[in-house]
Amino acid sequence: MAGEIGVAGAARIAVIGGGPGGLYAAALLKRLDPGREITVWERNAPDDTFGFGVVLSDETLGGIEHADRVYEALRRDFVRWDDIDIVHRGRTLTSGGHGFAALGRRRLLEILHERCASLGVRLRFREPAPPAAELAASYDLVIAADGVHSDTRESHREAFRPQLTTHRCRYIWLAADFALDAFRFEIAETEHGVVQLHGYPYAGDASTVIVEMREEVWRAAGLDRCDERASSEWCARVFANALGGRPLRSNKSSWIAFRTVVNERWSHGRIVLLGDAAHTAHFSIGSGTKLAVEDALALAACLEEQGPLPEALAAYEAERRPVVASTQRAARASLTWFEDLATYAGQPPHQFAFNLLTRSRRVTHDNLRLRDGEFVASVAKEAGIPSGTPPMFTPFRLGGLTLRNRVVVSPMDMYSADGDGTPGDFHLVHLGARALGGAGLVMTEMVCVSPEGRITPGCTGLYAPSHETAWRRITDFVHTTAPGTALGVQLGHSGRKGSTRLMWDGIDQPLPEGNWPLLAPSALPYRPGVNQVPHALTEPELATVREQFVRAAESAARAGFDLLELHCAHGYLLSGFLSPLTNQRTDAYGGDLTARLRFPLEVFDAVRAVWPAGRPMTVRISATDWADGGTTAEDAVAIAAAFAAHGADAIDVSTGQVVPDERPEFGRSYQTPFADRIRNTVGVPVIAVGAISSWDDVNSLVLAGRADLCALARPHLYDPHWTLHAAAEQGYSGPGAPWPPPYQAGSRTPPTGRTDAPKPRLTLR
């Protein structure tokens, strides 16, 4: 074989795996070039398949319709419906306008078999494929579509570098011999724990039924000891009402723990991964077959459009990877929601249903309102939200403080103080503008409790009389000019992350000169060899730091702040005590989580004692370190519970920035599941943060009961009047977002230039 071939030279193609993705790729590639020799190996018989029904989205169907006439054959067999039924505690709530299409998996394979055969694709059933490396020696391209347990991927682990994550629920694929009326989610609260049913019709006389539960529930019910028949009978008994007493049938069905597959690379030489071999996404968003078919479409298009094979395979991965990553984030949010389903079981019926429908963050408040406005209105009515009021503009009470809406301007370090930590005109304008912009609560940046507690020379402080005077000027401006806006102060100490340059001069880089000594729980530098080694605090020094927080809190109260937040996140001093990666003490302040909590709780108690009783106090935490061996989501729940028990009015739930080698799972609203879990497990109000970028996100999180307040940072840098503009865009003009009198003339969206072209005066047919 030649060392490098053009796509036109890819005359011989081998496909490992005869699932929908592999078959569709073969059909498309053969149709694009009838001269190609394409062979598909499938170890099973033609009619031997797992599962029952397959759901495809309108987007996927549109791609098939434009690419190949197999769509016509599929269309004749589709079962379509619009409704989702949610059954919980004896009530069925229905939401419409969702638009699903499904057909039997066996029928889908039959259609694809017929299409491949008609095009001249060679199908080799009941025959395991030769190893991919062996095929690559004689074929121009090897497409590995051999599923979640891909032998190809495992044989070339060093090239693809897969990451496999097994999750906490067990599920089983079953079928019922009648058609459900809608996509059905039913929740059963058994003596062993919560069990859920996911069901949908895929033919006029058949439905897929997936039963899922946490691993511990599965074992407690004895299902780990049941065979296929006994498992089917158990599920039929639990969901007898949904099934009308009918039985469930199986098809080599077994209890499975879902596995998420991520690969660092999707191709290796002439070998390329497709579908579940490359990536998986939880079945609760109906994505497996969809992703595989879309992969096939993209691979065929890139092979047609690009030059040499390496370029085509790189283009395929570049096109698909962001789409798959987005789908996997949504799927992860969905599967986590179902793993934690028991925490939501006590929600009011309509809120529970709304929470379920918006669990993946792909369906949102506004999107669902367009699909089924009556349903969303019923959710709002149950929550006591006045008609015409977006959820984000409802008031919320924290301690003795009532916030007029749910929007928080998140703390953002500005690095713009005078050299001695005094806030100046910049801070007056920065915070004043955002207070005038309509948010219910505006937070300062982290205000440092001592000179050595600063991150940079540009950080503000509250450790000198001049600081208190300067802050009082800002609070007076806000309270006078933007009445109804609350102003909060975040107190913190940089710990081992201090004595660094301004962010734009080199984030986390030490000062070229004038460095001050650092303090931390343990003598561990933030970046070994880059940042200085901090001094491990002694017990007398801990008392000094605690007193610095107390004095700063007393000063903040005199300065007129409405709320105080204790910064225990992002690797700063108090956060450093909480994480096992940064706290390696062997005294009473290190060791297990209870010991690591000791000093942050001592500081909290001391500050709470001097902070005015009527003013709320919150705590910001990092709910995960995004690093092996660090703080986990389970730890975060315990940390939040401890602070709540000591009197915290709310927990501000952020993540990460504790260690430099973190691996965050970035994405829209990516940190909100941690806040959600704390709120619905501990029962304490939470502030959610983390790439919340739209008012639709805020409405969705609040109405679903996943967050009480939403803190936004970058959107408020882009638009200081973000909250007022959100009100205008939603047609809201109530008390939750009053425009300052000087700005009222701008409370309607300005007209734009004409963008529509003149209509033709004459049309010839």
Side-chain angles (χ1 to χ4, degrees):
M1 300 293 294
E4 182 173 305
I5 58 172
V7 173
R12 304 188 73 229
I13 299 175
V15 180
I16 304 174
L23 291 169
Y24 193 48
L28 290 173
L29 290 168
K30 185 69 172 177
R31 185 184 173 206
L32 287 169
D33 185 353
R36 285 179 171 135
E37 176 190 327
I38 302 179
T39 304
V40 178
W41 278 268
E42 170 53 54
R43 68 175 68 237
N44 296 315
D47 60 350
D48 189 8
T49 182
F50 70 90
F52 298 95
V54 174
V55 179
L56 296 174
S57 69
D58 290 340
E59 180 184 16
T60 304
L61 293 174
I64 296 173
E65 182 178 12
H66 287 96
D68 190 83
R69 67 171 182 262
V70 72
Y71 173 79
E72 291 302 319
L74 293 173
R75 186 175 60 82
R76 289 191 292 270
D77 285 274
F78 282 140
V79 173
R80 291 185 178 272
W81 71 98
D82 291 322
D83 290 347
I84 296 177
D85 285 346
I86 298 159
V87 185
H88 179 44
R89 294 187 173 176
R91 294 192 62 172
T92 300
L93 298 178
T94 300
S95 174
H98 295 277
F100 294 98
L103 77 165
R105 182 178 174 88
R106 183 171 285 125
R107 179 57 185 148
L108 172 61
L109 292 176
E110 288 174 356
I111 291 170
L112 292 171
H113 292 160
E114 292 166 5
R115 183 58 174 152
C116 284
S118 71
L119 292 167
V121 174
R122 186 180 181 190
L123 302 176
R124 301 179 68 164
F125 295 110
R126 302 184 182 87
E127 185 177 348
E134 181 180 322
L135 289 171
S138 55
Y139 282 83
D140 300 317
L141 176 64
V142 179
I143 300 173
D146 47 348
V148 64
H149 301 294
S150 171
D151 290 335
T152 304
R153 184 187 64 232
E154 294 306 305
S155 298
H156 299 277
R157 289 185 64 88
E158 72 289 347
F160 297 119
R161 292 190 283 274
Q163 178 182 338
L164 311 179
T165 305
T166 302
H167 300 285
R168 298 181 291 172
C169 282
R170 291 277 181 161
Y171 67 97
I172 189 170
W173 289 84
L174 301 166
D177 291 325
F178 72 99
L180 289 166
D181 295 330
F183 203 120
R184 185 182 185 96
F185 293 103
E186 181 161 344
I187 314 304
E189 296 175 273
T190 74
E191 60 184 311
H192 310 293
V194 176
V195 182
Q196 58 261 23
L197 176 149
H198 311 243
Y200 56 88
Y202 67 85
D205 59 354
S207 299
T208 292
V209 174
I210 305 170
V211 176
E212 182 185 27
M213 67 200 79
R214 286 282 291 258
E215 174 94 14
E216 58 269 27
V217 177
W218 176 71
R219 293 189 182 279
L223 292 166
D224 57 329
R225 302 184 299 276
C226 288
D227 61 15
E228 187 175 355
R229 178 178 177 179
S231 293
S232 301
E233 291 174 348
W234 187 93
C235 293
R237 287 195 301 273
V238 170
F239 294 104
N241 288 337
L243 302 171
R246 302 176 183 89
L248 290 167
R249 59 182 167 87
S250 61
N251 175 21
K252 300 179 182 177
S253 303
S254 60
W255 292 98
I256 308 166
F258 188 81
R259 178 181 291 183
T260 296
V261 175
V262 176
N263 284 280
E264 191 172 318
R265 293 183 58 195
W266 292 7
S267 65
H268 170 53
R270 301 173 190 274
I271 305 168
V272 62
L273 302 178
L274 184 146
D276 283 354
H279 45 69
T280 60
H282 194 248
F283 61 83
S284 62
I285 65 169
S287 57
T289 301
K290 163 185 156 53
L291 288 177
V293 169
E294 290 176 351
D295 281 356
L297 284 163
L299 178 60
C302 290
L303 289 169
E304 182 73 6
E305 296 163 358
Q306 301 297 323
L309 184 64
E311 292 181 13
L313 297 184
Y316 157 68
E317 183 173 342
E319 177 181 334
R320 290 296 295 153
R321 184 177 286 280
V323 177
V324 168
S326 176
T327 302
Q328 288 187 315
R329 285 193 295 270
R332 180 62 182 264
S334 181
L335 79 84
T336 301
W337 194 92
F338 281 110
E339 285 180 339
D340 295 334
L341 178 57
T343 65
Y344 307 113
Q347 286 187 320
H350 287 87
Q351 185 181 58
F352 177 86
F354 179 85
N355 196 355
L356 187 153
L357 292 171
T358 59
R359 67 194 181 280
S360 73
R361 304 194 290 274
R362 286 197 159 183
V363 176
T364 63
H365 172 269
D366 199 47
N367 177 271
L368 192 55
R369 186 177 58 81
L370 293 174
R371 297 182 189 207
D372 190 344
E374 185 176 339
F375 174 82
V376 174
S378 69
V379 181
K381 182 178 179 181
E382 180 186 72
I385 298 173
S387 178
T389 300
M392 65 186 292
F393 293 118
T394 54
F396 188 74
R397 188 170 180 84
L398 275 179
L401 176 67
T402 298
L403 302 176
R404 66 186 176 201
N405 61 52
R406 307 302 184 95
V407 180
V408 178
V409 176
S410 193
M412 294 175 279
D413 289 319
M414 293 288 105
Y415 309 111
S416 298
D418 297 339
D420 67 348
T422 303
D425 289 346
F426 175 89
H427 297 85
L428 175 67
V429 173
H430 168 69
L431 295 170
R434 280 142 191 89
L436 289 168
L441 172 64
V442 176
M443 293 296 302
T444 69
E445 61 199 84
M446 185 177 87
V447 177
C448 305
V449 299
S450 65
E452 65 276 10
R454 292 174 297 163
I455 309 167
T456 76
C459 290
T460 58
L462 254 175
Y463 49 83
S466 60
H467 299 162
E468 183 180 320
T469 301
W471 284 117
R472 184 79 211 195
R473 175 182 176 227
I474 294 170
T475 62
D476 284 347
F477 176 86
V478 170
H479 293 148
T480 301
T481 312
T485 301
L487 189 62
V489 61
Q490 184 188 71
L491 292 184
H493 187 297
S494 62
R496 69 176 188 160
K497 294 179 73 176
S499 191
T500 60
R501 305 178 192 186
L502 304 183
M503 181 179 67
W504 43 86
D505 291 334
I507 189 169
D508 295 326
Q509 295 296 312
L511 294 168
E513 58 183 17
N515 286 280
W516 55 85
L518 301 182
L519 307 173
S522 301
L524 301 171
Y526 183 62
R527 281 193 173 92
V530 177
N531 302 100
Q532 64 175 283
V533 177
H535 167 67
L537 286 157
T538 64
E539 289 202 28
E541 290 168 335
L542 291 175
T544 298
V545 171
R546 185 170 60 246
E547 184 58 28
Q548 289 170 345
F549 273 95
V550 169
R551 289 199 300 268
E554 291 172 331
S555 187
R558 291 191 298 268
F561 285 103
D562 303 296
L563 174 147
L564 186 148
E565 179 165 283
L566 191 65
H567 200 340
C568 297
H570 299 169
Y572 298 122
L573 183 66
L574 298 182
S575 170
F577 276 90
L578 294 174
S579 172
L581 296 178
T582 51
N583 183 346
Q584 296 182 5
R585 299 175 71 99
T586 56
D587 62 2
Y589 294 96
D592 63 15
L593 182 57
T594 299
R596 299 198 307 274
L597 269 162
R598 182 178 176 184
F599 185 63
L601 288 174
E602 285 181 356
V603 172
F604 179 92
D605 290 342
V607 170
R608 179 73 272 185
V610 301
W611 185 244
R615 302 186 209 178
M617 188 169 163
T618 65
V619 179
R620 173 167 277 203
I621 67 170
S622 285
T624 175
D625 293 342
W626 299 115
D628 294 338
T631 299
T632 66
E634 290 75 20
D635 292 335
V637 170
I639 291 168
F643 280 113
H646 281 246
D649 294 286
I651 307 297
D652 186 355
V653 188
S654 186
T655 65
Q657 302 180 51
V658 175
V659 292
D661 57 345
E662 64 179 4
R663 297 182 301 278
E665 297 175 2
F666 289 120
R668 178 171 140 260
S669 303
Y670 72 106
Q671 296 179 129
T672 59
F674 297 96
D676 179 354
R677 186 172 185 182
I678 288 170
R679 182 186 191 274
N680 287 289
T681 301
V682 179
V684 63
V686 298
I687 305 170
V689 305
I692 303 170
S693 57
S694 71
W695 47 258
D696 194 17
D697 288 337
V698 178
N699 285 329
S700 300
L701 291 166
V702 170
L703 192 57
R706 297 189 196 120
D708 300 286
L709 300 166
C710 293
L712 299 91
R714 287 179 177 86
H716 282 116
L717 293 179
Y718 179 77
D719 178 6
H721 294 83
W722 185 89
T723 306
L724 294 180
H725 292 157
E729 289 165 12
Q730 296 176 80
Y732 174 75
S733 58
W739 283 71
Y743 290 173
Q744 283 181 354
S747 61
R748 288 189 294 272
T749 305
T752 59
R754 181 174 178 176
T755 58
D756 59 320
K759 295 180 180 179
R761 294 192 302 110
L762 179 65
T763 301
L764 299 176
R765 296 182 181 273

